[in-house]
Amino acid sequence: MATSGKAFDFNLFKRLMRYTSPYKGYFWFVAISAILISGFSVLQPILLEYIIDDSIVPKDYENLIFYVSIIGVLLLLETIFQLSFTYYSNWLGFHVIRDLRVKLFDKILNFKMQYFDKSSVGRLTTRAVNDIETIASIFSQGLFTIASDLLKMLVILAFMFYRSWELTLIVLAVFPLILYATRLFQKAMKKAFEDVRNQIANLNSFVQEHLSGMKIVQLFVREDSEFKQFDAINNKHKKAWIKTVWYTSIFFAVTEMLASITIGLIMWYGGLQAVEGSALTLGITVAFIQLAKMLFRPLNQIADKFNTLQMGMVAADRIFTILDTEAEIKDKGATPLTSVTGQISFKDVHFGYNADEEVIKGISFEVQPNQTVALVGATGAGKSTIINLLSRFYEINSGTIAIDQKDIKDIPLKDLRTTIAVVLQDVFLFADTILNNITLKNPEITEADVIEAAKDIGIHDFILSLPNGYHYNVKERGSMLSSGQRQLISFLRAYVSNPEILILDEATSSVDSYSEQLIQNATEKITQNRTSIVIAHRLATVKKADVIIVMDNGHIVEQGTHQSLLQIENGYYRNLYEVQFMAEEVEQ
């Protein structure tokens, strides 16, 4: 991992370079193009010396045309290779980030729910979008241009020593100061860019969260307060960027001043020697002025490109941090589910979202094939947790959960989750058509299958009443539908997948009576002839359940049918029934 104390992390760089392996041919073409571009540009001031000394001073017209023609050819070649370099360096960068983004998203898809419980969606979005885009600049603006500039500087210095060691020493006298300034600049910018990336992540996270929760902000009249908080975060983001601008401004001002002093000394010493008729000719002096500019310009550019490279490396470090995170559900199951009957068993299951706090405390129960089991209990009793554990969204601490007497850890995750369909209380719909939200673009489920299933559970007419019917776009999170309508779509999504086991988190408390009736009819239809576990919020579901499991504080306190549980004197279910369900009967 990169550390803030290092100006550059070569291990991280080598790891990133492995992603160029599938594109070796393009990589080396870009590298060679960078070398040739530097060579062509260095030849121009060298030829300028010969034009002045061998053509202009002696007034040799033919020689002048010859050298000018050579420069013209070099400019043409430089243009061709510059075009190739620009295109293929960007091509390489975007192919690498495509591969990285695919790998990152695949990694995120397989994380446990516990990872998302503790991770900001805005930060993950920043990693998958902004940070990966930044990595592309390593190839388009950083790596190859730095290598090209370094090579150009070595060639220039070699030629300068060859032509005049006196003028070269004048140039080199300033060099240590520029190198020292560059080193300080690199270290300062490394820390500055880490701060920039943190502030971008904070800003993305805040904006994403508050756009999603805008209704709450407006309902509780928190616009002014949230705006002030956003302004503070945005101000920190601005200051982080301004710090990088400040460092850059100082560095370039210092290097430009030193470069100008060097050129002035070359003009003074070289001009003096040319006037006195020494070996230092006017052509050499002019060539050295051009070469000095070319020497200092790459040095400034290297610092600038190093900033780009550094930002890309900081981004790569963040991406690899996620890729190195061990948060996947271990899918080592080798026992496929075939001919599922739907028998479920929990045996002494313990679980906690945090290591030091158990939510499920040693529960055991069995669900027989085709039974409907209702889970009832106060909020926080552990009902929804049971759903999460059965689907292996979380790993249990101890105990065993089995389907058809097969431990779910031994069942491939794909088999397990294909067998189970879940209708959650908080329905999530994508910004897409109703049809795609139902099928989730599964090619095995046709529109005809969806229409037939909708008719089966009695919601076909409701869907047809919407503009464009099954092709109606519900927008982000299904905002164009009511909560009851979203719930009906969720029921149909579960039903059309034809699961052997159905889990329902009933949610009819906040829907209109028409939608509630449709949901109750849909519930009766889709629970027929399949094992069903229902978190019950309504009396109708409780009464019709084959078994009622009563939970309190992570324990099963009672279990039985509706009538048998009512017979228990001072029983938990009986008290719950009298307080909650009898009041419901009176309302009805």
Side-chain angles (χ1 to χ4, degrees), residues 261-273:
I261 291 172
T262 304
I263 290 170
L265 290 172
I266 291 172
M267 292 174 67
W268 169 75
Y269 184 80
L272 187 63
Q273 294 299 310

Side-chain angles (χ1 to χ4, degrees), residues 37-265:
I37 290 167
S38 65
F40 293 143
S41 60
V42 170
L43 284 174
Q44 293 170 31
I46 294 174
L47 288 170
L48 182 62
E49 175 194 340
Y50 293 105
I51 289 175
I52 293 173
D53 290 341
D54 298 346
S55 302
I56 296 176
V57 174
K59 300 180 180 180
D60 187 336
Y61 179 75
E62 291 183 1
N63 214 19
L64 177 64
I65 296 299
F66 172 72
Y67 283 123
V68 170
S69 298
I70 293 176
I71 289 179
V73 172
L74 289 176
L75 286 173
L76 178 61
L77 290 173
E78 185 179 358
T79 301
I80 292 171
F81 280 99
Q82 184 65 57
L83 175 64
S84 301
F85 171 80
T86 303
Y87 178 80
Y88 284 107
S89 60
N90 281 279
W91 184 95
L92 179 64
F94 284 115
H95 276 72
V96 167
I97 67 169
R98 179 200 62 186
D99 296 346
L100 257 177
R101 186 175 280 127
V102 167
K103 187 171 184 179
L104 178 67
F105 193 69
D106 182 60
K107 180 82 173 182
I108 292 173
L109 281 175
N110 292 286
F111 277 156
K112 302 175 186 176
M113 288 299 107
Q114 203 159 11
Y115 179 86
F116 298 104
D117 293 341
K118 299 178 180 179
S119 300
S120 162
V121 173
R123 285 183 178 274
L124 289 175
T125 302
T126 300
R127 301 294 174 263
V129 180
N130 300 68
D131 284 340
I132 285 188
E133 288 292 337
T134 304
I135 292 174
S137 62
I138 290 178
F139 301 94
S140 61
Q141 303 172 41
L143 172 65
F144 296 110
T145 50
I146 288 175
S148 175
D149 288 344
L150 286 173
L151 178 63
K152 184 186 298 183
M153 291 168 66
L154 289 173
V155 173
I156 289 172
L157 284 171
F159 179 78
M160 291 173 87
F161 267 114
Y162 169 71
R163 296 303 291 146
S164 172
W165 63 269
E166 300 104 314
L167 291 178
T168 305
L169 288 179
I170 292 174
V171 174
L172 290 181
V174 184
F175 228 59
L177 294 175
I178 296 179
L179 289 175
Y180 180 68
T182 302
R183 180 66 174 172
L184 292 179
F185 179 64
Q186 289 170 355
K187 286 187 175 181
M189 290 301 282
K190 172 66 166 28
K191 293 181 180 179
F193 280 134
E194 285 180 342
D195 189 28
V196 166
R197 302 313 300 172
N198 281 328
Q199 295 307 325
I200 288 174
N202 290 339
L203 188 61
N204 284 349
S205 181
F206 183 89
V207 171
Q208 188 275 334
E209 185 175 39
H210 282 73
L211 287 178
S212 298
M214 188 57 67
K215 185 180 290 186
I216 299 299
V217 172
Q218 294 183 356
L219 277 173
F220 289 89
V221 197
R222 303 302 298 164
E223 292 93 339
D224 291 343
S225 173
E226 297 304 325
F227 176 78
K228 289 176 182 177
Q229 191 175 349
F230 170 80
D231 189 50
I233 293 172
N234 195 36
N235 195 45
K236 288 181 180 179
H237 176 256
K238 176 201 71 177
K239 287 180 178 179
W241 272 111
I242 288 178
K243 187 183 292 184
T244 68
V245 174
W246 171 244
Y247 290 150
T248 302
S249 301
I250 294 175
F251 174 74
F252 281 103
V254 169
T255 54
E256 283 296 324
M257 179 188 68
L258 292 173
S260 298
I261 291 172
T262 304
I263 290 170
L265 290 172

Side-chain angles (χ1 to χ4, degrees), residues 468-515:
N468 298 322
Y470 288 87
H471 298 279
Y472 178 61
N473 193 311
V474 300
K475 305 301 181 184
E476 188 174 2
R477 292 179 174 268
S479 60
M480 302 303 291
L481 301 177
S482 69
S483 58
Q485 290 172 331
R486 291 195 295 271
Q487 193 74 6
L488 290 169
I489 299 302
S490 182
F491 270 82
L492 184 53
R493 179 160 62 192
Y495 182 61
V496 80
S497 66
N498 194 28
E500 286 81 3
I501 297 172
L502 183 68
I503 299 174
L504 301 178
D505 190 351
E506 249 196 321
T508 55
S509 57
S510 60
V511 301
D512 59 87
S513 57
Y514 174 72
S515 296

Side-chain angles (χ1 to χ4, degrees), residues 447-464:
E447 184 172 354
D449 295 332
V450 173
I451 292 173
E452 184 180 351
K455 290 177 178 178
D456 283 348
I457 64 175
I459 65 172
H460 175 66
D461 292 338
F462 143 65
I463 295 175
L464 287 184

